[in-house]
Amino acid sequence: LEWLETARRAASLKAIRYVQHGHVVGLGSGSTVALAVEELSNRIREESMMITVIPTSYQSELLAIEKGLRFAELNRNTKVDVAIDGADQVQIGTLDIVKGGGAALAREKIVDSAAEKLVIVVDERKLTDKLGRNQPVPLEILPFWFNATMEKIRRLGGKPAFREGAGKLGPVVSDNGNLIVDVDFGEIQDPELLNKGLKLIPGVVETGLFIGLGGYICVGKRDGTVEVLERNK
Ligand code: A5P
């Protein structure tokens, strides 16, 4: 998979072109976003740009600190000019997305949905014609009485499983102190309806279904090209 890093980097370079001097930039999470942040910090240096960032996880916060990026003051500010994020799966056509492979879905959804322009960076393996195919939907749920919440998720047709930690025994605990559950729904016929159903379950903090957000998907291809898919809100 040597082409992967090249493809992701090429797509990242395309994505950071949406950032302009003075922008507030949302930073998603994941390995692809890490490449984009690296390229963004190079560009900031080369072009003496001033931007401020809003990270969506400890991962992107630490990266932003390492790169010397300035942080936007949350709550003094409710505007995000551009959010740059990754994805686990993107449905061709509708451009609905599954996210949360890195357990950062809740903050990512807050930041991505506040963005004037959402720019998603993926490699072509993430494209599918049916969300949910070989891809569970990550959910963040409150730790309190998790089995009651899991039961309601099952009633919607899902098979929930706690995500196991690496470097820690037991389930993954999110940056917000909640539990991460991966739910197998099989191929999802109506992602919007499923998302609404999940959001109505008390105890579900957020879902990894990112539906109806406008923006650009920069797809790094095996052949070295980058395709930009666009969707209006
Ligand atoms: C983080 O919670 C996720 O939403 C990531 O954006 C997603 O998992 C993509 O990660 P990679 O770029 O590492 O594949």
Side-chain angles (χ1 to χ4, degrees):
L1 295 182
E2 264 173 40
W3 64 274
L4 250 189
E5 159 123 16
T6 318
R8 289 178 171 185
R9 199 172 284 278
S12 298
L13 279 168
K14 185 77 113 193
I16 63 162
R17 298 314 304 179
Y18 291 93
V19 176
Q20 302 297 330
H21 178 76
H23 272 176
V24 177
V25 181
L27 301 181
S29 305
S31 53
T32 317
V33 169
L35 292 176
V37 171
E38 200 180 302
E39 295 299 345
L40 182 60
S41 74
N42 291 342
R43 191 174 154 216
I44 289 169
R45 207 175 330 102
E46 283 158 18
E47 299 180 23
S48 310
M49 282 166 75
M50 295 275 279
I51 65 153
T52 54
V53 298
I54 301 177
T56 52
S57 61
Y58 287 124
Q59 182 223 9
S60 49
E61 181 173 346
L62 290 169
L63 199 57
I65 291 170
E66 184 192 317
K67 298 290 175 195
L69 303 181
R70 294 179 7 156
F71 290 88
E73 261 187 89
L74 299 181
N75 298 320
R76 253 187 213 288
N77 174 40
T78 53
K79 199 180 81 155
V80 176
D81 295 293
V82 178
I84 298 180
D85 207 344
D88 299 307
Q89 207 170 40
V90 178
Q91 183 162 299
I92 297 161
T94 62
L95 302 190
D96 290 332
I97 297 170
V98 172
K99 288 182 50 55
L105 58 144
R107 294 189 193 182
E108 286 175 337
K109 202 181 275 190
I110 294 172
V111 172
D112 291 358
S113 71
E116 196 71 43
K117 283 196 180 107
L118 171 60
V119 186
I120 299 284
V121 192
V122 290
D123 62 77
E124 67 174 34
R125 298 174 317 160
K126 308 270 184 83
L127 298 180
T128 180
D129 36 48
K130 231 9 170 213
L131 285 188
R133 183 184 296 155
N134 303 320
Q135 171 64 54
V137 176
L139 300 181
E140 179 157 341
I141 71 169
L142 282 180
F144 175 73
W145 204 358
F146 52 80
N147 267 337
T149 305
M150 303 275 256
E151 184 51 34
K152 293 202 170 76
I153 295 166
R154 279 190 204 97
R155 276 192 227 149
L156 285 183
K159 295 192 194 78
F162 285 118
R163 187 177 300 174
E164 283 292 311
K168 170 192 175 291
L169 295 174
V172 168
V173 175
S174 77
D175 291 355
N176 311 306
N178 298 312
L179 299 173
I180 298 294
V181 177
D182 289 308
V183 191
D184 179 5
F185 285 102
E187 294 188 4
I188 301 168
Q189 301 310 326
D190 189 338
E192 185 175 1
L193 191 69
L194 177 60
N195 188 47
K196 283 187 178 149
L198 289 167
K199 296 274 311 188
L200 285 174
I201 299 175
V204 171
V205 175
E206 195 48 87
T207 84
L209 287 166
F210 284 46
I211 309 295
L213 299 180
Y216 305 89
I217 319 263
C218 300
V219 187
K221 301 282 190 69
R222 221 174 277 259
D223 64 9
T225 60
V226 179
E227 188 180 359
V228 182
L229 309 171
E230 189 177 344
R231 186 205 147 111
N232 298 319
K233 263 186 205 165

